[in-house]
């Protein structure tokens, strides 16, 4: 089960970073981004370090507020956030046509929430690919609790020995299916990432992804649009946010036939960004509401003041708040 308490949040802050170094890590992370003078090319050149720092800093916040699956989902009226997330994961498994016993790769698996849900739903063996040691350690613990540690595992990337999203540590044609949930957006080059996925996937098999994209409504000359984009990038550890068309073109260039694509935000009965909208209140996802976030902010402030949370914790929450504002603004 997810770590849900205030002390769990405090002790998890910073991940594998030494608690005395958290503030320095926050400062280094911030400098990658536009709000602090950073630029896109620097983020792309140092994406592995940037993304790794990001998830060390934010994972305990995610788990505290969101649960084990760090992603959004289209929702039906009357459906809770958690229910919509599970349905979203099941839908992905169904689109892949997963069959019992198949070997599946989750690219950018977080702490393994979708991995466990999809493995149980489809009776498959899922390997999670991740560059963050803290998330992998949490994922292994949660796999053991869920009873899937015998069939599901994790592979760490991001070193000279193990490669990364752009150079996966697997032989050719090894997986029966591959999926990514709001994860390949962290790669600096969509074509390079999709090419690696194509390489490790068995011929004729499928890759399915939920990808963060800018729609054609984005105007690069509009200052408000640029502000929203920058808020999302710093708050979600992204080197850039690609247009939908760029992602589809990169898939085709990598060798894939694009069988189906859809903007899932269009036609969703409940807006995907609703959990972050401060005008919305929900008891089932109270920690994401304006009141819940106010409570969490002051709790983190108090924990940092008394030394239970490392220095820099409040600044992590600040850039997560920027992301929430940007995501709601962009969604609208």
């Amino acid at each position: 089960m997810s770590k849900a308490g205030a002390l769990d949040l405090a002790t998890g802050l910073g991940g594998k970073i030494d608690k005395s170094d958290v503030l320095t890590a926050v400062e280094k992370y911030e400098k990658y981004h536009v709000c602090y003078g950073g630029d896109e090319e620097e983020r792309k050149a140092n994406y592995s370090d940037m993304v790794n720092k990001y998830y060390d800093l934010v994972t305990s916040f995610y788990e505290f507020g969101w649960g084990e699956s760090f992603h959004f989902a289209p929702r039906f009226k009357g459906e809770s956030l958690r229910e919509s997330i599970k349905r979203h994961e099941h839908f992905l498994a169904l689109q892949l046509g997963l069959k019992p016993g198949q070997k599946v790769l989750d690219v950018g698996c977080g702490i393994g929430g979708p991995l466990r849900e999809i493995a149980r739903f489809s009776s498959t063996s899922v390997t999670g690919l991740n560059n963050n040691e803290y998330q992998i350690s949490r994922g292994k613990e949660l796999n053991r609790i869920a009873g899937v540690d015998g069939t599901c595992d994790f592979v760490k990337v991001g070193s000279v020995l193990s490669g990364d999203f752009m150079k996966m540590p697997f032989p050719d044609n090894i997986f029966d299916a591959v999926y990514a949930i709001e994860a390949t957006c962290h790669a600096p080059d969509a074509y390079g990432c999709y090419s690696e996925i194509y390489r490790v996937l068995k011929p004729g098999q499928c890759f399915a992804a939920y990808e963060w994209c800018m729609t054609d409504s984005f105007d690069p000359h509009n200052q408000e649009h640029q502000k929203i984009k920058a808020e999302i990038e710093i708050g979600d550890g992204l080197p850039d946010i690609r247009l939908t068309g760029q992602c589809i073109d990169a898939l085709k260039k990598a060798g894939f036939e694009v069988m189906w694509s859809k903007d899932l935000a269009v036609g969703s009965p409940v807006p995907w960004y609703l959990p972050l909208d401060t005008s919305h209140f929900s008891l089932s996802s109270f920690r994401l509401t304006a009141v819940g976030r106010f409570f969490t902010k002051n709790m983190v402030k108090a924990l940092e003041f008394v030394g239970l949370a490392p220095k820099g914790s409040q600044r992590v929450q600040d850039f997560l708040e920027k992301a929430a504002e940007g995501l709601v603004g962009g969604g609208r």
Side-chain angles (χ1 to χ4, degrees):
M1 59 184 295
S2 286
K3 293 183 176 181
L7 288 178
D8 291 320
L9 172 62
T11 55
L13 277 165
K16 291 294 184 180
I17 299 171
D18 188 278
K19 301 307 178 189
S20 63
D21 295 331
V22 167
L23 180 57
T24 301
V26 172
E27 291 170 345
K28 287 181 179 177
Y29 173 77
E30 289 173 339
K31 286 177 182 176
Y32 281 123
H33 292 277
V34 171
C35 313
Y36 294 88
D39 60 48
E40 180 184 324
E41 292 310 310
E42 185 181 8
R43 290 194 298 277
K44 287 182 175 179
N46 298 281
Y47 73 96
S48 185
D49 177 68
M50 181 191 73
V51 173
N52 197 38
K53 277 189 173 63
Y54 173 76
Y55 280 113
D56 267 329
L57 295 169
V58 307
T59 293
S60 66
F61 275 106
Y62 274 22
E63 204 172 346
F64 179 79
W66 212 260
E68 296 178 20
S69 293
F70 304 162
H71 63 84
F72 293 92
R75 286 168 69 183
F76 294 112
K77 291 180 179 178
E79 187 178 42
S80 71
L81 174 63
R82 186 155 298 184
E83 289 168 343
S84 71
I85 284 173
K86 282 192 173 188
R87 179 177 52 77
H88 201 45
E89 292 163 358
H90 295 175
F91 178 76
L92 190 72
L94 291 169
Q95 291 301 302
L96 283 169
L98 298 183
K99 296 178 176 60
Q102 285 188 322
K103 189 174 182 180
V104 182
L105 178 65
D106 180 334
V107 179
C109 60
I111 61 171
L115 177 155
R116 286 181 289 279
E117 189 64 36
I118 287 173
R120 289 179 295 203
F121 178 74
S122 60
S123 299
T124 52
S125 173
V126 186
T127 296
L129 191 66
N130 196 322
N131 81 332
N132 186 266
E133 187 179 343
Y134 175 69
Q135 287 198 334
I136 288 176
S137 66
R138 281 293 297 142
K140 286 181 176 178
E141 181 184 354
L142 292 167
N143 275 10
R144 179 184 57 77
I145 293 169
V148 299
D149 51 322
T151 56
C152 298
D153 61 359
F154 296 89
V155 172
K156 187 180 186 304
V157 294
S159 69
V160 174
L161 292 176
S162 60
D164 57 25
F165 282 8
M166 312 299 289
K167 192 176 181 182
M168 297 181 186
F170 305 113
D172 296 354
N173 313 136
I174 190 172
F175 291 103
D176 297 300
V178 180
Y179 69 85
I181 301 180
E182 299 178 15
T184 47
C185 49
H186 291 297
D189 171 40
Y191 165 69
C193 183
Y194 295 154
S195 294
E196 275 295 276
I197 291 169
Y198 188 87
R199 180 184 66 79
V200 302
L201 188 61
K202 290 179 180 178
Q205 300 305 303
C206 292
F207 165 54
Y210 295 136
E211 185 73 275
W212 281 29
C213 300
M214 305 294 287
T215 70
D216 292 337
S217 299
F218 174 71
D219 179 359
H221 304 294
N222 183 310
Q223 288 190 343
E224 181 62 20
H225 288 194
Q226 286 287 7
K227 175 177 176 289
I228 287 171
K229 181 174 181 282
E231 287 174 342
I232 296 171
E233 286 168 348
I234 188 172
D236 292 284
L238 304 178
D240 187 24
I241 310 176
R242 292 176 277 268
L243 292 167
T244 305
Q246 291 174 317
C247 290
I248 291 173
D249 288 345
L251 283 164
K252 292 177 180 177
K253 185 179 177 184
F256 286 105
E257 175 190 355
V258 179
M259 300 170 66
W260 185 74
S261 67
K262 178 177 171 42
D263 182 349
L264 294 175
V266 176
S268 177
V270 176
W272 61 269
Y273 57 81
L274 189 67
L276 300 177
D277 190 338
T278 53
S279 66
H280 172 71
F281 183 82
S282 168
L283 286 174
S284 64
S285 51
F286 173 76
R287 289 175 178 174
L288 299 174
T289 65
V291 177
R293 279 150 61 181
F294 176 79
F295 170 78
T296 302
K297 181 173 183 173
N298 283 282
M299 179 185 70
V300 171
K301 184 177 181 180
L303 290 169
E304 186 173 334
F305 179 77
V306 300
L308 290 175
K311 292 185 183 300
S313 298
Q314 292 179 75
R315 283 171 65 168
V316 175
Q317 186 168 24
D318 287 343
F319 66 66
L320 289 174
E321 285 289 341
K322 281 185 185 293
E325 293 167 9
L327 288 165
V328 172
R332 285 176 171 166

